[in-house]
Amino acid sequence: MLSKVAVVLNERLAMFEFGVVCEVFGLDRTSDGLPLFDFRVCGVEPGKPLGSSSPGIAVTPQYGLEELRDADLVAIPAFPYSSEHDMDPRVVDAVRDASERGATVLTVCSGAFLAGAAGLLDGRKCTTHWRYVEQLARMYPQATVDPDVLFVDEGNLITSAGTAAGIDACLHLVRRELGSSVANAIARRMVVPPQRDGGQRQFIERPVVDCSSDSLSETLHWMGENLELPHTVESLSARSNTSTRTFARKFAAETGTTPVKWLTGQRILLAKQLLEDTDMDLENLANRCGFGSGALLRHHFQRQVGIAPAEYRRRFGGVRAP
């Protein structure tokens, strides 16, 4: 049973991510027939204000780290970091000890780095905000970092992506431990969906890759300006005045991927832009992006973005689909 929740605060904590945890677990909703959590906000020095990432705002934890010892859930909101030197070793030890004693650890956004410092990510899947996934993977190479999902449930470890994904992770944990009716009631009070589809891929922009090779840079620019045309390695290597083998090798070295995958990514990026800014029907949009058919566009869009084109337009479009 999920009963006692301890929130661990660090210096320069992120207010929204902290607020998410407070909103889900810290409010008294017993008048709605919902359970009351024993909610404790903890810091190294109880009663000492901690600065936040929002200028002029500080938060004072009432409780010390000893409250983690018998907590069912330890929640870690986001905080800025550059290395493990940004983390108080007393906080790291307290989180590690709580996990070893059986507490579930839930991180929001960059809170995953504290879980990593405590050794909780090793050999496990996890996620964080898409801006930080590469750094998380570098700092904790034994972890498997998934850049696409909103959250990852590894049993006694739940990691979530940026900001609003913390809501998804918290409600998921409530649903897992207390049932759908409790999670749905909290979501209704918060005026949020109890469960979102898709992942954080739908929020990521992938700009054109910078290129150090002049000949390849010109080809990449031309490809980006002519996405509706068919392209092959043979035609692109001829445009770059190289052999197909040399072109493929240079392309992979500069972009980190193959011409086909790069083209698909750029076409999806254009499709997202057109879905947001126009009311173009799906077949014409698919042709404009170089997919040839709406079916092929839907296939690749679902794979890369995680939701269907029509749903993406509904969420992000200035012009609604008919």
Side-chain angles (χ1 to χ4, degrees):
M1 181 64 69
L2 179 61
S3 178
K4 181 176 180 179
V5 178
V7 186
V8 182
L9 299 188
N10 294 276
E11 192 69 45
R12 297 180 298 152
L13 67 120
M15 292 300 298
F16 184 93
E17 286 78 357
F18 172 53
V20 164
V21 178
C22 294
E23 182 72 22
V24 175
F25 299 106
L27 298 187
D28 184 349
R29 297 187 175 97
T30 52
S31 60
D32 291 340
L34 299 176
L36 177 66
F37 299 106
D38 181 5
F39 188 74
R40 308 292 177 97
V41 178
C42 308
V44 173
E45 299 181 51
K48 178 182 178 180
L50 293 171
S52 75
S53 58
S54 301
I57 299 177
V59 178
T60 303
Q62 276 191 291
Y63 300 95
L65 298 177
E66 66 277 0
E67 295 295 335
L68 276 64
R69 294 172 185 164
D70 61 347
D72 302 305
L73 171 65
V74 174
I76 307 172
F79 63 98
Y81 62 88
S82 58
S83 71
E84 290 189 2
H85 296 297
D86 293 333
M87 306 176 197
D88 191 307
R90 292 169 291 182
V91 175
V92 175
D93 290 343
V95 170
R96 182 189 302 112
D97 292 344
S99 177
E100 290 175 353
R101 280 191 293 270
T104 296
V105 174
L106 183 149
T107 69
V108 183
C109 193
S110 60
F113 286 83
L114 177 51
L120 306 186
L121 303 185
D122 293 351
R124 309 175 88 173
K125 294 181 180 179
C126 61
T127 194
T128 188
H129 192 290
W130 57 266
R131 293 182 64 185
Y132 309 139
V133 290
E134 292 183 2
Q135 182 172 353
L136 187 69
R138 286 196 304 271
M139 289 180 67
Y140 305 108
Q142 295 185 56
T144 301
V145 183
D146 189 337
D148 296 331
V149 295
L150 294 174
F151 62 85
V152 175
D153 183 344
E154 280 278 328
N156 66 343
L157 173 69
I158 298 177
T159 53
S160 64
T163 311
I167 300 175
D168 300 290
C170 290
L171 290 176
H172 166 77
L173 178 60
V174 172
R175 184 181 304 107
R176 190 187 78 180
E177 298 296 319
L178 301 175
S180 295
S181 61
V182 176
N184 292 346
I186 294 174
R188 189 161 53 249
R189 281 281 297 269
M190 294 174 64
V191 197
V192 296
Q195 188 169 1
R196 289 192 295 168
D197 55 355
Q200 61 175 326
R201 286 176 292 177
Q202 60 193 292
F203 306 105
I204 301 173
E205 291 187 5
R206 291 182 171 86
V208 175
V209 178
D210 291 331
C211 185
S212 61
S213 168
D214 290 340
S215 61
L216 190 55
S217 179
E218 292 178 4
T219 302
L220 283 172
H221 178 75
W222 182 83
M223 291 166 68
E225 293 295 317
N226 296 274
L227 293 173
E228 72 279 6
L229 300 177
H231 300 290
T232 65
V233 173
E234 289 75 16
S235 65
L236 294 172
S237 60
R239 173 169 286 275
S240 298
N241 296 315
T242 63
S243 67
T244 55
R245 178 177 297 181
T246 299
F247 177 79
R249 176 178 54 79
K250 289 176 65 176
F251 197 97
E254 290 285 354
T255 67
T257 188
T258 66
V260 171
K261 290 182 178 179
W262 188 90
L263 267 171
T264 300
Q266 294 301 307
R267 284 168 170 162
I268 291 295
L269 189 60
L270 176 59
K272 290 168 70 174
Q273 178 185 337
L274 293 175
L275 287 167
E276 292 173 18
D277 298 339
T278 77
D279 60 355
M280 188 181 298
D281 68 81
L282 202 62
E283 290 298 324
N284 285 328
L285 193 148
N287 288 326
R288 171 65 183 85
C289 297
F291 286 108
S293 71
L296 198 57
L297 168 61
R298 282 189 290 268
H299 169 75
H300 287 290
F301 200 93
Q302 184 79 44
R303 287 188 62 184
Q304 286 210 14
V305 184
I307 56 176
E311 176 63 15
Y312 184 89
R313 172 173 271 164
R314 186 185 70 79
R315 294 185 184 185
F316 301 105
V319 180
R320 289 194 174 274

